[in-house]
Amino acid sequence: MFLELLRRRNPHFLDAISHLHASGDLPPNCFAIDLDAVSSNAAAYVQAAEPLGLKVFAMTKQLGRKPDVSAALVSAGITHAVGVDLQCAIAAHAGGLDIGHLGHLVQIPRHEAATAAALKPLYWTVYNETKAREAGSAAVAAGRVQDVLVRVFAPEDTFYPGHEGGFPADRIVQVARMIDAIPGLRFAGVTSFPATLFDQAKGNVVATPNRATLTRVAEMLKADRGRVEVNAPGTTSVSVLESLAEAGATQVEPGHGLTGTTPLHAVRDLVEQPAIAYVSEVSHLHSGRAFVFGGGLYVDPVLGEATTKALIVEPGSVDVASVSPLGVEMPSPAAIDYYATVPVDSPDQARVGDTVIFGFRAQAFVTRALTAAISGISIGKPHVEAVWSADGSPRQSLTLPTDQSKE
């Protein structure tokens, strides 16, 4: 769904992918990331957020939590990450980002609270008193006081299936006092997700009922104790920051916004540049179809069912953006994505070893794909910084033993 956007707004990125795949620096089954574009996008968030009083925490799970991207974010002014779960927080921290927020969307398991506390998160979200007491005990053991956010909900709020949980919004004042009474904890504010969603019928982003709940709850808390933190993630782009601040938000968590791949980017040109593509290679041809290596073919279904297309080019080709996209037969969700297939009408449409470039909305952390940040695209000197596994760890390599049989 973002392939056309890449062709139109970041053609040099596509040429760089072609060149680096041809050289062997960029392997197949790899999410390539334009590091210059991510840096520019991150700087745009910082510039827009600062006058609005918004803290920016980067959601890096889509990007693979790689250290070179983390360093670029820090240089642009985004120093903290949000961990969607504890593993995500650990990976982001190992990659060079401090932890701004954890426990939301996924609560911290009981026996891992000490690990979470060791990360020294600025904010830790809890859904119930039991989780709050676990966080408090871990904070006391770590010799610190932990600022806590609580997930709130009201009857009219909307959650993705499996994301439900939290405290009733109308009990927020009592909940805040309960949190403050737990040793090691300090009540800081509230959160919910999603606060913003893309409306396909309107072709625009809209505030969810959850955002109104956050605003209402914040007003209740202000009357009781003064200013509170309001964490309001979901479909975050620079274009929605002002409306979030007007609703009382104090924290935002761009993820796909850092790579220009929110649903709104698919239908409207925004300040963020498209900065991610999935790179593969033709493995073989059979019965009129090109078989393309998979491993990272999970397409985030936020825009519903969509036809997937790809560019197939001879390695090292230039002006890749001018190549006509071909329709892709994606593997069934019930199958392991060893390959995708591309119907071809003639032998010259695809050859074994050709570069294949996709532009779908990525979630690298749920795949077995590799990730690689490419620097220097903006100055015409593309270079792969390093290749990483999708969890942000170094790519595994095999060192073959020296053959001493002839000695």
Side-chain angles (χ1 to χ4, degrees):
M1 65 186 72
F2 295 99
L3 187 58
E4 285 302 314
L5 188 65
L6 285 165
R7 294 174 72 207
R8 185 166 53 82
R9 294 192 63 190
N10 203 349
H12 297 305
F13 181 31
L14 302 180
D15 290 340
I17 289 172
S18 173
H19 167 71
L20 293 167
H21 177 251
S23 69
D25 293 324
L26 194 61
N29 183 32
C30 182
F31 289 105
I33 296 165
D34 181 345
L35 199 60
D36 297 352
V38 168
S39 297
S40 177
N41 294 344
Y45 277 96
V46 172
Q47 183 178 6
E50 185 173 354
L52 297 172
L54 294 171
K55 300 179 181 71
V56 182
F57 302 147
M59 175 65 83
T60 61
K61 63 184 175 66
Q62 298 96 334
L63 299 170
R65 291 87 59 119
K66 61 182 61 59
D68 34 29
V69 170
S70 296
L73 295 176
V74 171
S75 294
I78 300 180
T79 58
H80 288 72
V82 49
V84 72
D85 55 22
L86 181 60
Q87 290 72 26
C88 187
I90 291 171
H93 185 266
L97 289 163
D98 291 329
I99 302 304
H101 184 201
L102 54 65
H104 186 227
L105 297 166
V106 181
Q107 293 282 274
I108 303 302
R110 182 197 327 173
H111 294 299
E112 294 184 317
T115 300
L119 293 172
K120 299 180 180 179
L122 297 182
Y123 301 96
W124 183 333
T125 286
V126 297
Y127 285 13
N128 53 56
E129 183 175 348
T130 299
K131 285 299 175 192
R133 293 193 178 278
E134 291 171 4
S137 294
V140 169
R144 63 192 305 264
V145 176
Q146 177 64 56
D147 281 332
V148 165
L149 303 177
V150 300
R151 161 77 84 83
V152 293
F153 68 90
E156 64 273 14
D157 288 351
T158 300
F159 297 97
Y160 291 110
H163 287 200
E164 302 88 349
F167 294 93
D170 59 5
R171 293 189 56 246
I172 190 58
V173 173
Q174 298 96 307
V175 170
R177 293 171 182 173
M178 178 270 291
I179 294 292
D180 280 338
I182 296 175
L185 299 187
R186 178 170 52 219
F187 178 82
V190 293
T191 185
S192 184
F193 173 84
T196 308
L197 275 180
F198 180 74
D199 187 311
Q200 285 187 295
K202 295 180 179 179
N204 203 354
V205 292
V206 297
T208 65
N210 307 46
R211 189 193 295 190
T213 296
L214 287 174
T215 301
R216 183 173 71 254
V217 166
E219 290 302 319
M220 295 166 61
L221 289 166
K222 288 175 184 177
D224 181 68
R225 59 182 53 224
R227 187 181 185 277
V228 295
E229 293 289 331
V230 178
N231 177 275
T235 318
T236 307
S237 63
V238 170
S239 66
V240 304
L241 297 187
E242 186 172 352
S243 65
L244 286 170
E246 289 173 352
T250 63
Q251 302 174 14
V252 294
E253 298 177 347
H256 283 287
L258 296 172
T259 51
T261 50
T262 75
L264 189 58
H265 288 91
V267 299
R268 186 180 304 175
D269 283 354
L270 303 178
V271 65
E272 300 94 340
Q273 292 289 318
I276 188 168
Y278 180 67
V279 183
S280 190
E281 178 182 306
V282 175
S283 164
H284 58 283
L285 292 96
H286 179 76
S287 297
R289 293 183 297 164
F291 283 69
V292 175
F293 290 113
L297 295 174
Y298 172 82
V299 179
D300 190 328
V302 68
L303 285 173
E305 294 295 327
T307 300
T308 301
K309 294 186 176 182
L311 303 176
I312 299 183
V313 297
E314 187 175 351
S317 296
V318 295
D319 195 21
V320 174
S322 66
V323 175
S324 297
L326 298 176
V328 179
E329 297 172 346
M330 297 290 278
S332 165
I336 299 173
D337 63 332
Y338 295 122
Y339 299 101
T341 58
V342 181
V344 292
D345 298 325
S346 60
D348 62 347
Q349 282 189 305
R351 294 154 295 272
V352 173
D354 276 358
T355 305
V356 185
I357 305 173
F358 295 79
F360 54 76
R361 179 175 154 106
Q363 290 283 1
F365 82 120
V366 298
T367 76
R368 63 185 190 281
L370 300 167
T371 61
I374 304 172
S375 62
I377 294 174
S378 62
I379 58 174
K381 296 181 179 180
H383 169 73
V384 173
E385 292 293 318
V387 179
W388 305 88
S389 297
D391 63 357
S393 62
R395 180 191 186 186
Q396 294 295 317
S397 60
L398 177 64
T399 301
L400 297 176
T402 301
D403 184 0
Q404 300 181 5
S405 62
K406 296 180 180 180
E407 295 182 2

